[in-house]
Amino acid sequence: MKIGDIDLGEGAILAPMAGFTEPGFRAVCARIGAGLTVTEMVSAKGLIHNGEKTLELLHTSQYEKISAVQIFGSDPEVMAQAVQSPYLEKFDIIDINMGCPVNKVVKNGEGSALMKNLPLASKIISAVKAAAQDRPVTVKFRLGWDRDTKNYIDFGKMCQDSGADALTLHARTRADFYSGRAKIEAWEKLKNAVSIPVIANGDIKDKQSYRQAFDWADGVMIGRGALGYPQIFADVLDKSVDLTLMEAVLMHINELLKYFEPERAAINFRKHAHHYLKGVPNSREIKNKINQTDDINQVIELLKSAL
Ligand SMILES: Cc1cc2nc3c(=O)[nH]c(=O)nc-3n(C[C@H](O)[C@H](O)[C@H](O)COP(=O)(O)O)c2cc1C
């Protein structure tokens, strides 16, 4: 699969997930097979003000083969200015978030609220495309605001006409948030309506759902299926994994420690630890202990005792 001139190989993509897709996790997923990794959503306003918390989200690891930064905002000029930030120079692809459902984002007309304002969404995409110069621009969005206002076909065409190089469709509405089955038949409908690549997203959990998605789309993006199980990228690509789960955890933590102080890393890692321990019998006590410590070595020992 190609986005602009960038060849993504087999097209297995790690989804942006706020609070989870920090450089440690992205490194592990890339090492195991993800051809493209995406930062979590980064505020365009935060970027132009060089906000410390915003800049922290922009670390990338040496393992990431092709990396995208995802930005969000509702002001075309601010979005364009953000793209020109020197901190974004290292990213191969600029992705625009037009799918985030959370209230504090949509109340500012950002994220999935832009699916209700096509003229503004179009201005944002054109402005970002002009600012990105030769770098490809992608847009991630949903089926629409709610069941009665599904407009992903018109929205996708608008994105294409405004200069987008590829589209990612999370096959749920804003009203669905993350619940209910993803309406996967939408990927094919969108693909038939546009000539740029379509990336399928929503409920890809295993090799079967991954392979099936390629019947309808050009690339496939995996989110929650990778949490606690980065090996999913080897599974779906039919590759053997040369890392045990514990080795993947250690790599994840070691990468994280390159960017964060050990205490911060221990705290940030807690939610990942819960995912890595998913399905491990009697892990409640270990999870509780991990929640209470900011000593990363203790976190490692606790995980070693369980995995
Ligand atoms: C905890 C969490 C955080 C997320 N953060 C983002 C984000 O920053 N940007 C974005 O476009 N989507 C975000 N998403 C949505 C995912 O990228 C993806 O579209 C969604 O989870 C559906 O894919 P899945 O079924 O493979 O998880 C987030 C999802 C989760 C669960």
Side-chain angles (χ1 to χ4, degrees), residues 207-256:
K207 188 166 139 189
Q208 194 193 344
S209 48
Y210 176 85
R211 290 278 159 218
Q212 195 183 27
F214 271 106
D215 290 345
W216 304 311
D218 305 284
V220 177
M221 179 181 272
I222 302 175
R224 290 164 297 175
L227 294 176
Y229 191 64
Q231 294 97 319
I232 192 169
F233 287 102
D235 290 355
V236 299
L237 297 171
D238 250 337
K239 291 204 299 193
S240 56
V241 198
D242 55 355
L243 283 181
T244 63
L245 185 58
M246 192 58 218
E247 284 167 343
V249 165
L250 287 175
M251 177 183 170
H252 186 160
I253 292 175
N254 284 333
E255 281 299 307
L256 210 50

Side-chain angles (χ1 to χ4, degrees), residues 13-17 21 25 29 201-205 220-229 232-233:
I13 303 165
L14 173 66
M17 285 181 284
T21 46
F25 189 57
C29 291
N201 172 242
D203 292 351
I204 306 294
K205 295 190 189 87
V220 177
M221 179 181 272
I222 302 175
R224 290 164 297 175
L227 294 176
Y229 191 64
I232 192 169
F233 287 102

Side-chain angles (χ1 to χ4, degrees), residues 262-282:
E263 292 76 19
R264 275 285 302 286
I267 294 166
N268 284 2
F269 195 74
R270 284 177 190 161
K271 34 186 190 306
H272 277 294
H274 284 239
H275 283 283
Y276 284 120
L277 288 166
K278 212 163 36 190
V280 173
N282 306 320

Side-chain angles (χ1 to χ4, degrees), residues 17-283:
M17 285 181 284
F20 286 94
T21 46
E22 27 70 4
F25 189 57
R26 279 187 265 125
V28 174
C29 291
R31 161 81 171 70
I32 291 177
L36 168 65
T37 41
V38 191
T39 66
E40 68 176 79
M41 55 194 278
V42 177
S43 155
K45 269 192 219 135
L47 255 170
I48 65 170
H49 294 116
N50 292 335
E52 202 181 316
K53 285 257 177 294
T54 305
L55 299 184
E56 261 184 9
L57 305 174
L58 300 172
H59 295 301
T60 49
S61 100
Q62 72 195 75
Y63 293 93
E64 289 174 82
K65 299 170 193 90
I66 300 169
S67 64
V69 58
Q70 187 188 67
I71 56 170
F72 74 98
S74 60
D75 181 330
E77 259 178 53
V78 173
M79 293 287 273
Q81 238 180 299
V83 172
Q84 285 157 343
S85 157
Y87 294 101
L88 297 201
E89 264 169 25
K90 62 184 168 181
F91 292 99
D92 305 293
I93 295 170
I94 310 290
D95 184 52
I96 309 176
N97 181 317
M98 295 196 174
C100 179
V102 306
N103 283 329
K104 71 173 187 204
V105 170
V106 297
K107 77 168 195 271
N108 297 328
E110 301 166 336
S112 58
L114 287 162
M115 294 203 71
K116 295 200 287 189
N117 191 344
L118 273 66
L120 179 58
S122 172
K123 280 192 191 135
I124 290 173
I125 298 165
S126 309
V128 167
K129 180 71 185 168
Q133 299 189 336
D134 53 352
R135 280 183 292 177
V137 171
T138 56
V139 185
K140 183 166 180 282
F141 57 96
R142 289 181 174 240
L143 298 178
W145 184 256
D146 60 21
R147 207 168 48 181
D148 301 324
T149 55
K150 283 187 196 161
N151 60 345
Y152 63 98
I153 300 281
D154 287 342
F155 196 83
K157 286 184 188 163
M158 174 279 295
C159 293
Q160 173 173 276
D161 294 344
S162 308
D165 295 282
L167 307 171
T168 304
L169 179 61
H170 175 190
R172 289 191 174 82
T173 65
R174 187 268 173 177
D176 292 334
F177 274 70
Y178 296 99
S179 61
R181 184 184 66 84
K183 307 290 183 298
I184 58 178
E185 54 286 352
W187 297 325
E188 187 177 29
K189 290 187 185 153
L190 179 63
K191 188 170 157 54
N192 288 337
V194 296
S195 55
I196 52 177
V198 170
I199 297 164
N201 172 242
D203 292 351
I204 306 294
K205 295 190 189 87
D206 51 25
K207 188 166 139 189
Q208 194 193 344
S209 48
Y210 176 85
R211 290 278 159 218
Q212 195 183 27
F214 271 106
D215 290 345
W216 304 311
D218 305 284
V220 177
M221 179 181 272
I222 302 175
R224 290 164 297 175
L227 294 176
Y229 191 64
Q231 294 97 319
I232 192 169
F233 287 102
D235 290 355
V236 299
L237 297 171
D238 250 337
K239 291 204 299 193
S240 56
V241 198
D242 55 355
L243 283 181
T244 63
L245 185 58
M246 192 58 218
E247 284 167 343
V249 165
L250 287 175
M251 177 183 170
H252 186 160
I253 292 175
N254 284 333
E255 281 299 307
L256 210 50
L257 286 170
K258 291 184 186 164
Y259 309 101
F260 298 100
E261 293 299 320
E263 292 76 19
R264 275 285 302 286
I267 294 166
N268 284 2
F269 195 74
R270 284 177 190 161
K271 34 186 190 306
H272 277 294
H274 284 239
H275 283 283
Y276 284 120
L277 288 166
K278 212 163 36 190
V280 173
N282 306 320
S283 58

